[in-house]
Amino acid sequence: MLHKLNLENILFLDIETVPEFRNYSDLSEEKKQLWEEKSKYQRKDDYSAEEFYERAGIWSEFGKIICISVGFFNFRNGKRNFRLTSFKGEEEKLLRDFTALLEEYFFQPSHLLCAHNGKEFDFPYIARRMLIHNMRLPSKLNLFGKKPWEVPHLDTLELWKFGDFKHYTSLKLLTHVLGIPSPKEDIDGSMVREVYYEKGETDRIVKYCERDVVAIAQVILKLRQEPLLAESEIVSV
């Protein structure tokens, strides 16, 4: 089935998130209490709610999106390229710009969104943040009433599970075992909050996010047993 998909119909994506506020002290008293309740199970007795707040970016109710990077294949005159673009900055604006892309170019029934662990993280996170900003969900993220086979999402983690639902493999590990070259990484996911809030280096985060988008596309190519993208085929727009 994967081999039958038209690669040009797939929008590959990755998001980067951080805590909604720079410091725990910036939260309202009500939000502090809600955070303490939400994080209690994960932090147990090892951390206070304040100490654990630096990890708040993984929860859409306490975090925000600072970058959405996307990529898509383009085939012209027998040549293949992979075009990358990113939405960054103020969350509501980047979400509206991303929505415009979906509604103008990736709205057909045959179009799919693809991410690694996207069904558990990226897709619901984006949808929740849109609703928090009182935005209408684009059709590709509006899953209400859809049957499982009608959901227009591909997930490279799910594909790699082969039905083994307890199994988790990071994108970094998956690219390694599949022999996919990984470019030198300036940062990793655990550093995004610091790079954003303490150093203000958003462009570093964008490059990191775009590298993950390329890696996701490479995984799909590998699963289809097709040649991997060469650096010369990747274009930033």
Side-chain angles (χ1 to χ4, degrees), residues 126-137:
I126 294 171
R128 291 170 189 147
R129 294 307 298 177
M130 284 181 171
L131 290 174
I132 286 170
H133 285 290
N134 200 32
M135 295 171 57
R136 180 177 58 84
L137 293 180

Side-chain angles (χ1 to χ4, degrees), residues 1 12 15 48 60 64 68 74 78-79 81 83 96 125 174 197 218 224 232:
M1 186 66 177
F12 299 86
I15 69 174
S48 68
S60 55
K64 65 180 180 180
I68 302 178
N74 183 269
K79 291 186 177 181
N81 66 50
R83 303 173 72 84
R96 292 194 183 280
Y125 201 115
L174 185 54
Y197 276 122
Q218 300 279 45
R224 287 163 58 103
S232 60

Side-chain angles (χ1 to χ4, degrees), residues 213-227:
V213 173
V214 172
I216 294 164
Q218 300 279 45
V219 169
I220 291 294
L221 290 175
K222 191 74 173 183
L223 295 179
R224 287 163 58 103
Q225 298 182 308
E226 295 181 10

Side-chain angles (χ1 to χ4, degrees), residues 12 159 203 206:
F12 299 86
L159 292 171
D203 286 344
V206 170

Side-chain angles (χ1 to χ4, degrees), residues 58-112:
I58 64 172
W59 286 278
S60 55
E61 299 86 358
F62 296 92
K64 65 180 180 180
I65 300 170
I66 57 171
C67 177
I68 302 178
S69 292
V70 301
F72 55 94
F73 283 94
N74 183 269
F75 295 86
R76 292 291 182 273
N77 301 319
K79 291 186 177 181
R80 176 184 72 174
N81 66 50
F82 188 73
R83 303 173 72 84
L84 279 171
T85 192
S86 293
F87 307 97
K88 62 180 181 178
E90 191 271 324
E91 185 183 49
E92 183 174 353
K93 183 180 185 306
L94 72 82
L95 288 173
R96 292 194 183 280
D97 290 343
F98 176 67
T99 296
L101 173 73
L102 293 183
E103 293 184 338
E104 291 177 29
Y105 299 104
F106 283 88
F107 60 91
Q108 299 290 350
S110 58
H111 289 148
L112 299 170

Side-chain angles (χ1 to χ4, degrees), residues 1-12 73 75 109-114 151-155 159 220-221 223-224 226:
M1 186 66 177
L2 190 61
H3 292 79
K4 296 180 180 179
L5 291 178
N6 182 348
L7 288 176
E8 290 184 295
N9 286 337
I10 304 174
L11 184 69
F12 299 86
F73 283 94
F75 295 86
S110 58
H111 289 148
L112 299 170
L113 306 183
C114 181
V151 175
H153 298 163
L154 270 181
D155 189 326
L159 292 171
I220 291 294
L221 290 175
L223 295 179
R224 287 163 58 103
E226 295 181 10

Side-chain angles (χ1 to χ4, degrees), residues 121-180:
F121 186 71
D122 304 73
F123 306 141
Y125 201 115
I126 294 171
R128 291 170 189 147
R129 294 307 298 177
M130 284 181 171
L131 290 174
I132 286 170
H133 285 290
N134 200 32
M135 295 171 57
R136 180 177 58 84
L137 293 180
S139 62
K140 294 301 176 184
L141 291 172
N142 191 348
L143 307 185
F144 298 122
K146 288 185 178 177
K147 299 176 177 62
W149 56 88
E150 295 173 333
V151 175
H153 298 163
L154 270 181
D155 189 326
T156 47
L157 173 59
E158 184 178 78
L159 292 171
W160 184 246
K161 284 182 176 182
F162 289 95
D164 181 4
F165 294 108
K166 65 183 181 299
H167 189 79
Y168 178 83
T169 305
S170 69
L171 181 60
K172 186 175 183 179
L173 174 57
L174 185 54
T175 55
H176 175 77
V177 299
L178 291 178
I180 295 171

